[in-house]
Amino acid sequence: MDLRIDIELKEGLLWVTASGGVKFESALRLLRQVCDAAAEDHISRILVDALAVEGELAAHERYRIGVDLATYVMHREIDVKMALVGLLPALNGFGALVAQNRGMDARVFAAPDEAVIWLNDLPAEPPRESARTFIQDR
């Protein structure tokens, strides 16, 4: 099964629910799309719920995702704080650590409520009138 995401605005956060099998190319592409959606909607807080993601990326792929995503948001001047929720083996925190070391505010959590607490350390954003939902990949 391919990696897929659903995106919605929930409690002032861009809430992303990911499911399916993780692969390097699709994971990086979808994370970039999530950052673009956040920038388009003027949202700075992103929660990626990857609890339903299966599979495992190699260490060098996790490293590249961290580097590439941090570089992408900096070049596009997208100011985001990203919380990723997931468990081993799909998420282990290495990619987020690499992104942090390159200036992106990203962390991995085991449960959504922990991620929401961390994300809510930012000032609240004004609510948007409509939430956007879409499914991407392939």
Side-chain angles (χ1 to χ4, degrees), residues 39-56:
E40 183 179 312
D41 290 341
H42 306 288
I43 304 288
S44 61
R45 298 176 295 168
I46 302 169
L47 189 149
V48 178
D49 180 345
L51 289 169
V53 171
E54 300 170 351
E56 181 175 6

Side-chain angles (χ1 to χ4, degrees), residues 11-13 44-45 79 81 118-126:
E11 300 172 14
L13 307 173
S44 61
R45 298 176 295 168
D79 183 24
K81 185 174 185 178
W118 179 71
L119 287 168
N120 283 332
D121 283 342
L122 285 178
E125 298 174 9

Side-chain angles (χ1 to χ4, degrees), residues 21-74:
V22 66
K23 292 183 180 161
F24 171 77
E25 294 83 9
S26 59
L28 180 58
R29 182 175 60 253
L30 293 175
L31 286 170
R32 284 179 175 181
Q33 288 175 351
V34 165
C35 291
D36 289 341
E40 183 179 312
D41 290 341
H42 306 288
I43 304 288
S44 61
R45 298 176 295 168
I46 302 169
L47 189 149
V48 178
D49 180 345
L51 289 169
V53 171
E54 300 170 351
E56 181 175 6
L57 295 175
H60 73 277
E61 292 174 317
R62 295 172 194 267
Y63 177 84
R64 280 196 49 210
I65 285 175
V67 170
D68 289 357
L69 192 60
T71 301
Y72 184 77
V73 299
M74 283 185 218

